Amino acid sequence: MANISKKVSWSGRGDDRGERTPLLNGAEDGKYNRHDIVRSRPKEIPHNAKLLSLKYESLDYDNSENQLFLEEERRMSHMGFRCLETRRWVICGLIGFLTGLIACLIDIAVEKLAGYKYSAVKQNIEKFTEFGGLSISLILWAVLNSAFVMVGAIAVAFFEPIAAGSGIPQIKCYLNGVKIPRVVRLKTLAIKVFGVICSVAGGLAVGKEGPMIHSGAVVAAGVSQGRSTSLKKDFKIFEYFRRDTEKRDFVSAGAAAGVSAAFGAPVGGVLFSLEEGASFWNQMLTWRIFFASMISTFTLNFFLSIYHGKPGELSSPGLINFGRFDGDSVQYNLYEIPLFIIMGALGGVLGALFNVINYWLTIFRIRYIHRPCLQVMEAMLVAAVTATVSFAMIYFSNDCQPLGQDNTEEYSLQLFCADGEYNSMATAFFNTPERSVRSLFHNPPGSYNPLTLGVFTLAYFVLAVWTYGLTVSAGVFIPSLLIGAAWGRLFGILLSTITSSQSIWADPGKYALIGAAAQLGGIVRMTLSLTVILVEATGSVTYGFPIMLVLITAKIVGDYFIEGLYDVHIKLQSVPFLHWEAPPTSHWLTAREVMSSPVTCFNRVEKVGRIVDVLSNTSTNHNGFPVVAHTTENDEPGKICGLILRSQLIVLLKHKVFVERASSRLSHRKLQLKDFRDAYPRFPPIQSIHVSQDERECMMDLTEFMNPTPYTVPQETSLPRVFKLFRALGLRHLVVVDNENGVVGLVTRKDLARYHLGKDGLEELHLAQT
Amino acid sequence: MELLTRLTFVSACLFAEWAVTFIAVANCSSSPSEMNGDSALKLPSADIPVAQKSTLGSFYSLSLSSTFPEDLEVNEYCTELLRIYGQRYVTFANCLVTYARPVRVCQNCYTGFNSLEDIYKNISFDKSAPGNVSCHDSLMRSDRLMLLYTLFIKLDEIWTSAECKQCLNEDQDALSNDTLYFMATLNQSLSCFEQYQRNHTELCKDCKTSYKRLNEVYGRMEKNQMLCIDLEDAMNMTQHLWSKNFRCLLPREETVPVIAVSSFMLFLPIIFYLSSFLHSEQKKRKLIHPKRVKSSSSLMNIQDKFS
């Protein structure tokens, strides 16, 4: 990025409070001076949400239409373009297939591991219920949980920290155009899959759905490139797609395939990509993404049907299966709509509470628990406490329910209940979270008593807030659904006791579903895609309307307090994320104030020495350089004639494309676009390129390689206008020119992302090194 | 004349079946169906158009007034089958009702079911019947009601959902050995219960072995899918006796150790967070000032100096 200056220990004008910084503070500098002198290191502040990190860069979505590109296009036949299109379809099919396979793997592994764990603990508990020594069962459960989680946390913390969490914030950023280091590597995928198996089997309050989205995205990024740099293997296929624009399209298909596999919701997956990432959308791409989603659900179904011994049966939906809602008892009526809206509001409030607590917890984690071993310890502690809390709840619960005819609980615990009955708290706690969700949705009325549900909601809420943000890979969908389902069911039960008539409208399963939707909507604040996902996962279109109402209400209420969980985490990661719109009330800001200036420019024909010097200057890390017609040493800005990227320059230096060499050795192969693609995406650093003293004196002609038509704006353009251009076209650099087309500044992502609307109007985020 | 008696007989049979199903239905469902039946019987025929009269009445009047040509009539052989079917049906339905509570249907009615099934199969697979029309077609598929079929299917459904087949041996003609063994164990427990009727604490102690064995046998049979409704019901009642009537519950004795271990576990994270708050070095971020036009004059000079 071009807006980075040096790390100077400079203490003149600091505003080190880190918190709100009113934008118009230029005149108040003096006020802080004495203050700053007292505090000797004013440039260092504790981590907070109002920073932009330097380590994130933009992706190059803008196609560089240089001469090489034109040549390649000219060479390519009509047939060639057809082939490309076919290849895109093949890749999408592969993405869907592999994502489905991964989902299948996760599902089976979790089921097996959790099965072993629960049956071991169950046997132990049964043994000790009779003869005494239940505290040993408790310890056994805690130790088993911690052991699983420890393995997963070690893998994440020591090998690939980016695999922590659900991965949805990261994918959201990626689709937004931010290059998150290592986020779409094969290694990340491996750690992610392994980690999520461990953490779900370890009994944490997590789900395996969020990570599926990340996994799908990694699969897509890997497949579409036809090679893996982690494995150092190049299959020499799909070389045309080795650039950010193409890759992004496939990544959005991968994310959609992930959603689709996770929830059995192909349309929801497509809409998720649309809602979260697609600033760049076209009809053919949508169709391809839908194809990938469908293939992914299909693959998952197919392999799960084989696993369950019914090969060829394709109707089992995604990873989470909400079960079908049908029958008369789950009808809803007009007079229930206000109740649903109330539940939506409740979900919004609870979701906001969840996010606020998690926000402070995450800040604490970033500031104090940043060493990997501490992170592993924390995860283990959470796992142990989760087991303890669950055990205590089960132990002290007096809620016994008769075993049903079609008993769905695989690990029902009797404990101190009468024979032929089971402990109803155990169905909620002594189970993988998604099974608990399902029993909350579908168990017949009267399976839970209100006290059990209330206590469970409270305990699980605390556990889920505490768990999200640990250094384990885990999603937040299922815990949210579970919390919501619990209080939703409670709501339903209370309703039927209040009205005292045994009317059908108080079927608790229905309210559990609405509660789950409200809670999830209140936490993640997704709208369109979440509605469709839930509708698809429950398999009943009838619920579309109430679910939509609930999600709208939850979002409105929740947004009043705090943003969605993913946005909170994106902010805490200091990612320069561009929202859909520029912040309101920013029209008075012009490009002149927003841009970075002065700009490092190159001449059309530039000396190699200067290029090497500029590139290897560690304090600046510019990525794009306007190419000007002629720079004079005086202040007169040169006229723009193109834009060249760091990556291109490095490839040029590596191949030593110098003017002198071209004239002396005619046999020298002409550089093609392929050479640029081969280096993608990890271009070698400038330090690895050796340029001799003689070569430093050579000249390099950039005309052929630069983008001859970069986007430019005049200095007086307003911020929203710049923003719109940037967001809609996916730009990385936007050159600001004066009346004579002279380069006066450069706008990049971080220049735009730093403005946001705070409590006191427009605020500016700080750039920081993280 | 012969035809007439035959028809009368058929309708009598039908009536018997109807009555039997009526009893069976009345047992499961509550009074409304009974009410319907009564009102149907009491309908005054004069006020009602012919079509709405009870089926029975219209049948009689029809049969008196007209006959069908010979080839459309049900032949003698089939009528005989029909009669047997009716008898067996009555027997079986009667048995079901008799042993409905406590459930003993599998033990007592399997012979009835088997014979009913036999005759039903006879009718449905009968091809060798004299005449052109098989009994299957003439008895079962001639009208939209398909009474014989529906009646049998209903009872068959009951039999299937009771899972009686799992309690019988392979030929379905006797109770399986496991079932007999289970019943023997059950009787032991019950007689033990009888013995200690007065003193429940004694009962819980002394009958525990036999009760436990019963549980084990039941658990094993459950795993092998050898349970039917009789056994399930018997076991349910016994468990209810044991837990609810005699209150032989496990005591909750270990509250203190469980609380101790739990609070220790809950205490650990507090220590962890406190210690990391106090001892871990807080992560600081270095702020960086971007190049801007606004403050270019002062900023640039300083930067130049340092670069």
Side-chain angles (χ1 to χ4, degrees):
Chain A
M1 308 292 296
N3 56 359
I4 298 143
S5 74
K6 294 113 201 162
K7 288 183 276 178
V8 282
S9 54
W10 170 74
S11 61
R13 181 194 163 261
D15 183 287
D16 56 322
R17 268 82 152 298
E19 298 300 327
R20 284 183 292 279
T21 314
L23 197 62
L24 292 171
N25 64 349
E28 314 170 25
D29 291 344
K31 207 165 85 181
Y32 294 121
N33 269 340
R34 209 170 26 179
H35 187 72
D36 289 336
I37 292 161
V38 176
R39 286 162 71 173
S40 54
R41 301 292 306 277
K43 297 299 285 183
E44 292 212 334
I45 60 159
H47 185 88
N48 60 49
K50 304 227 156 104
L51 295 173
L52 286 183
S53 170
L54 282 189
K55 75 176 169 192
Y56 299 114
E57 298 180 355
S58 272
L59 292 166
D60 290 302
Y61 287 163
D62 188 27
N63 200 3
S64 170
E65 291 177 342
N66 55 19
Q67 289 184 24
L68 298 184
F69 176 79
L70 293 178
E71 266 168 43
E72 189 184 70
E73 202 175 68
R74 215 175 297 134
R75 268 202 310 275
M76 202 181 262
S77 61
H78 181 64
M79 210 47 213
F81 280 105
R82 282 278 177 76
C83 276
L84 270 186
E85 195 58 28
T86 321
R87 260 180 239 156
R88 286 198 182 101
W89 281 94
V90 170
I91 290 174
C92 280
L94 273 177
I95 291 170
F97 180 73
L98 291 175
T99 311
L101 267 189
I102 288 173
C104 191
L105 169 77
I106 293 179
D107 196 42
I108 293 173
V110 166
E111 196 172 302
K112 286 279 177 213
L113 283 178
Y116 287 134
K117 192 189 80 176
Y118 284 120
S119 52
V121 176
K122 185 183 170 180
Q123 272 174 15
N124 195 283
I125 288 181
E126 274 170 1
K127 201 169 82 195
F128 286 126
T129 316
E130 210 173 335
F131 305 113
L134 274 175
S135 44
I136 297 173
S137 316
L138 163 59
I139 293 171
L140 174 79
W141 191 358
V143 167
L144 275 178
N145 266 9
S146 303
F148 276 120
V149 171
M150 182 180 78
V151 177
I154 285 178
V156 173
F158 287 98
F159 296 104
E160 196 57 276
I162 200 80
S166 75
I168 295 179
Q170 283 89 334
I171 295 306
K172 221 175 143 171
C173 292
Y174 185 90
L175 293 177
N176 191 264
V178 184
K179 184 179 192 171
I180 311 270
R182 304 192 311 284
V183 77
V184 287
R185 289 206 196 163
L186 188 66
K187 189 176 156 197
T188 313
L189 174 67
I191 300 283
K192 189 115 210 164
V193 170
F194 180 72
V196 77
I197 291 171
C198 287
S199 47
V200 177
L204 289 177
V206 297
K208 55 194 180 212
E209 278 66 24
M212 263 324 294
I213 296 164
H214 191 172
S215 306
V218 181
V219 166
V223 169
S224 64
Q225 303 302 296
R227 69 173 167 193
S228 158
T229 28
S230 292
L231 294 181
K232 300 196 172 49
K233 187 149 181 64
D234 192 341
F235 294 99
K236 304 268 179 209
I237 46 171
F238 307 139
E239 283 168 332
Y240 183 82
F241 302 123
R242 290 178 187 173
R243 50 190 160 137
D244 284 334
T245 328
E246 296 282 352
K247 197 164 156 184
R248 179 204 52 213
D249 289 353
F250 291 117
V251 166
S252 54
V259 175
S260 145
F263 298 96
V267 182
V270 175
L271 292 176
F272 175 84
S273 281
L274 176 69
E275 185 173 332
E276 296 301 340
S279 352
F280 323 98
W281 198 254
N282 65 50
Q283 170 246 343
M284 268 323 273
L285 177 64
T286 320
W287 188 222
R288 270 204 305 274
I289 291 178
F290 186 65
F291 175 69
S293 303
M294 275 296 181
I295 293 284
S296 142
T297 341
F298 172 82
T299 313
L300 178 67
N301 281 343
F302 182 70
F303 284 99
L304 280 186
S305 73
I306 291 177
Y307 173 69
H308 292 306
K310 300 172 210 153
E313 212 172 80
L314 295 179
S315 50
S316 77
L319 282 190
I320 168 133
N321 179 358
F322 289 164
R324 299 280 165 219
F325 281 84
D326 40 31
D328 291 338
S329 58
V330 290
Q331 301 290 325
Y332 63 94
N333 212 315
L334 186 65
Y335 52 76
E336 292 182 80
I337 299 290
L339 289 174
F340 292 157
I341 291 177
I342 291 172
M343 289 180 80
L346 195 59
V349 172
L350 285 177
L353 184 69
F354 186 103
N355 293 358
V356 169
I357 300 174
N358 196 262
Y359 169 79
W360 289 111
L361 199 60
T362 309
I363 285 195
F364 181 83
R365 281 183 177 139
I366 293 175
R367 285 187 189 168
Y368 294 103
I369 306 178
H370 43 78
R371 273 184 303 182
C373 45
L374 279 180
Q375 291 170 336
V376 173
M377 266 173 70
E378 193 194 11
M380 285 171 65
L381 278 177
V382 175
V385 170
T386 307
T388 311
V389 169
S390 317
F391 189 89
M393 295 273 166
I394 295 173
Y395 185 89
F396 291 109
S397 160
N398 281 323
D399 184 7
C400 293
Q401 302 291 344
L403 284 165
Q405 190 187 7
D406 43 346
N407 195 16
T408 46
E409 321 309 333
E410 226 165 284
Y411 320 106
S412 57
L413 281 181
Q414 184 185 353
L415 227 65
F416 303 113
C417 287
D419 285 0
E421 296 190 338
Y422 65 92
N423 187 312
S424 129
M425 188 67 100
T427 55
F429 269 123
F430 194 67
N431 229 331
T432 52
E434 49 217 80
R435 270 183 209 278
S436 311
V437 173
R438 216 179 313 160
S439 44
L440 282 171
F441 282 167
H442 291 294
N443 279 5
S447 311
Y448 297 89
N449 76 34
L451 184 69
T452 308
L453 285 176
V455 173
F456 174 77
T457 309
L458 193 68
Y460 212 82
F461 186 86
V462 173
L463 287 176
V465 174
W466 190 19
T467 308
Y468 190 77
L470 282 180
T471 320
V472 293
S473 46
V476 77
F477 270 79
I478 296 300
S480 325
L481 286 173
L482 190 48
I483 298 167
W487 66 254
R489 199 170 171 112
L490 183 64
F491 190 88
I493 293 175
L494 293 183
L495 263 186
S496 60
T497 48
I498 288 170
T499 55
S500 76
S501 63
Q502 289 295 318
S503 55
I504 58 153
W505 59 279
D507 177 77
K510 172 173 60 182
Y511 287 93
L513 173 66
I514 298 295
Q519 182 69 55
L520 184 55
I523 291 175
V524 302
R525 308 287 161 73
M526 282 149 64
T527 47
L528 172 63
S529 54
L530 192 57
T531 312
V532 177
I533 286 172
L534 286 175
V535 166
E536 280 184 289
T538 52
S540 68
V541 184
T542 344
Y543 278 115
F545 180 64
I547 287 177
M548 181 193 75
L549 278 183
V550 158
L551 288 177
I552 289 175
T553 326
K555 184 170 167 61
I556 291 173
V557 174
D559 280 346
Y560 181 76
F561 299 104
I562 190 172
E563 330 164 73
L565 187 64
Y566 297 140
D567 292 316
V568 166
H569 276 260
I570 286 173
K571 259 192 176 174
L572 285 173
Q573 294 298 313
S574 317
V575 179
F577 189 86
L578 292 186
H579 292 274
W580 287 106
E581 300 277 344
T585 74
S586 59
H587 284 269
W588 56 276
L589 275 170
T590 61
R592 197 181 147 72
E593 282 138 316
V594 172
M595 71 190 184
S596 308
S597 174
V599 187
T600 318
C601 296
F602 287 127
N603 281 321
R604 231 176 224 280
V605 181
E606 185 62 83
K607 217 162 101 182
V608 174
R610 176 155 183 262
I611 294 177
V612 174
D613 286 343
V614 168
L615 291 186
S616 51
N617 184 349
T618 49
S619 58
T620 64
N621 194 18
H622 302 318
N623 250 306
F625 304 92
V627 179
V628 291
H630 180 65
T631 45
T632 44
E633 287 309 311
N634 57 28
D635 277 352
E636 183 82 4
K639 279 199 177 110
I640 182 145
C641 55
L643 186 84
I644 194 148
L645 302 174
R646 167 183 285 260
S647 55
Q648 291 174 317
L649 288 172
I650 284 177
V651 174
L652 292 179
L653 285 175
K654 202 172 138 200
H655 289 86
K656 307 207 184 301
V657 190
F658 307 143
V659 179
E660 286 76 7
R661 285 164 69 96
S663 52
S664 61
R665 274 199 284 160
L666 289 166
S667 63
H668 186 70
R669 189 176 66 91
K670 204 164 153 42
L671 212 57
Q672 287 181 356
L673 211 52
K674 189 178 171 304
D675 299 300
F676 292 93
R677 281 197 215 112
D678 282 344
Y680 178 82
R682 283 180 235 173
F683 297 102
I686 183 72
Q687 287 80 12
S688 69
I689 290 165
H690 180 74
V691 178
S692 69
Q693 206 58 43
D694 287 348
E695 285 168 339
R696 285 180 70 88
E697 294 305 315
C698 293
M699 300 301 274
M700 206 145 87
D701 189 359
L702 304 177
T703 320
E704 212 177 334
F705 309 105
M706 71 188 183
N707 181 4
T709 50
Y711 292 96
T712 58
V713 287
Q715 295 180 65
E716 285 75 30
T717 325
S718 71
L719 173 65
R721 221 176 165 74
V722 173
F723 197 97
K724 216 172 278 172
L725 202 60
F726 223 80
R727 185 77 167 87
L729 296 172
L731 297 183
R732 184 172 183 178
H733 305 101
L734 183 61
V735 184
V736 181
V737 293
D738 60 12
N739 295 335
E740 272 105 39
N741 257 346
V743 178
V744 291
L746 197 65
V747 177
T748 57
R749 176 173 280 270
K750 275 171 213 143
D751 297 323
L752 294 174
R754 67 199 163 107
Y755 297 103
H756 83 133
L757 200 62
K759 289 198 178 63
D760 311 332
L762 212 54
E763 291 172 3
E764 199 177 338
L765 303 177
H766 295 281
L767 279 175
Q769 204 142 40
T770 54
Chain B
M1 194 55 215
E2 194 187 301
L3 181 74
L4 188 74
T5 44
R6 215 160 62 201
L7 275 178
T8 338
F9 178 74
V10 169
S11 38
C13 279
L14 282 176
F15 176 72
E17 283 162 16
W18 177 81
V20 167
T21 35
F22 171 55
I23 293 166
V25 165
N27 184 43
C28 318
S29 62
S30 48
S31 45
S33 67
E34 220 167 325
M35 291 295 290
N36 285 339
D38 283 347
S39 58
L41 285 175
K42 281 175 199 156
L43 282 176
S45 50
D47 307 339
I48 306 292
V50 178
Q52 282 185 20
K53 274 188 191 173
S54 77
T55 33
L56 203 61
S58 58
F59 199 81
Y60 268 121
S61 56
L62 254 179
S63 65
L64 283 170
S65 60
S66 62
T67 55
F68 294 108
E70 190 70 22
D71 55 332
L72 283 180
E73 279 304 321
V74 181
N75 67 39
E76 209 166 329
Y77 174 73
C78 294
T79 322
E80 182 60 21
L81 284 181
L82 191 63
R83 192 185 60 78
I84 301 172
Y85 180 92
Q87 269 176 355
R88 293 186 177 177
Y89 197 94
V90 173
T91 321
F92 180 56
N94 201 13
C95 178
L96 284 184
V97 177
T98 316
Y99 295 103
R101 261 337 287 176
V103 191
R104 297 274 184 275
V105 288
C106 295
Q107 302 163 46
N108 296 309
C109 306
Y110 61 90
T111 41
F113 180 76
N114 287 345
S115 51
L116 179 66
E117 200 178 24
D118 281 346
I119 189 72
Y120 181 77
K121 274 181 187 157
N122 262 357
I123 296 176
S124 28
F125 299 112
D126 177 68
K127 296 284 175 214
S128 61
N132 293 337
V133 190
S134 72
C135 289
H136 179 233
D137 290 342
S138 69
L139 291 179
M140 290 215 205
R141 306 180 23 178
S142 312
D143 54 274
R144 73 177 162 84
L145 207 54
M146 302 202 291
L147 206 52
L148 296 194
Y149 169 78
T150 322
L151 288 171
F152 178 76
I153 284 300
K154 284 291 168 210
L155 286 192
D156 192 51
E157 253 172 39
I158 293 174
W159 196 249
T160 319
S161 69
E163 295 181 330
C164 286
K165 285 187 179 157
Q166 297 181 359
C167 284
L168 301 172
N169 65 8
E170 279 182 18
D171 298 334
Q172 302 285 312
D173 55 359
L175 291 176
S176 67
N177 289 337
D178 291 274
T179 315
L180 293 173
Y181 180 67
F182 176 82
M183 302 227 275
T185 331
L186 178 70
N187 281 339
Q188 273 177 18
S189 295
L190 289 179
S191 56
C192 180
F193 290 173
E194 195 98 353
Q195 217 174 330
Y196 293 95
Q197 199 74 31
R198 299 276 155 261
N199 189 344
H200 286 174
T201 41
E202 287 271 303
L203 185 146
C204 288
K205 216 164 40 190
D206 288 356
C207 297
K208 191 163 188 178
T209 40
S210 67
Y211 177 69
K212 230 177 135 183
R213 202 169 67 241
L214 181 68
N215 261 324
E216 272 162 24
V217 172
Y218 184 81
R220 205 186 56 231
M221 292 176 77
E222 189 175 29
K223 209 177 280 170
N224 297 342
Q225 297 205 324
M226 299 173 74
L227 290 178
C228 57
I229 184 73
D230 290 19
L231 305 192
E232 285 165 17
D233 186 63
M235 190 67 205
N236 251 345
M237 308 257 284
T238 322
Q239 284 184 338
H240 196 266
L241 272 179
W242 177 260
S243 311
K244 292 280 158 70
N245 290 21
F246 307 141
R247 306 209 57 77
C248 300
L249 293 174
L250 292 169
R252 191 175 297 190
E253 282 165 342
E254 300 171 70
T255 314
V256 176
V258 168
I259 290 182
V261 175
S262 310
S263 34
F264 172 71
M265 290 279 194
L266 293 178
F267 200 58
L268 282 179
I270 300 176
I271 298 176
F272 172 78
Y273 283 117
L274 264 183
S275 68
S276 53
F277 179 69
L278 294 175
H279 298 301
S280 184
E281 171 196 358
Q282 189 176 158
K283 199 159 224 181
K284 301 276 189 176
R285 304 292 186 206
K286 290 197 191 94
L287 284 191
I288 283 162
H289 278 265
K291 299 187 278 186
R292 297 277 175 250
V293 172
K294 227 162 53 176
S295 52
S296 57
S297 54
S298 60
L299 186 61
M300 285 318 295
N301 293 339
I302 291 161
Q303 281 180 351
D304 287 344
K305 240 185 275 171
F306 278 85
S307 60

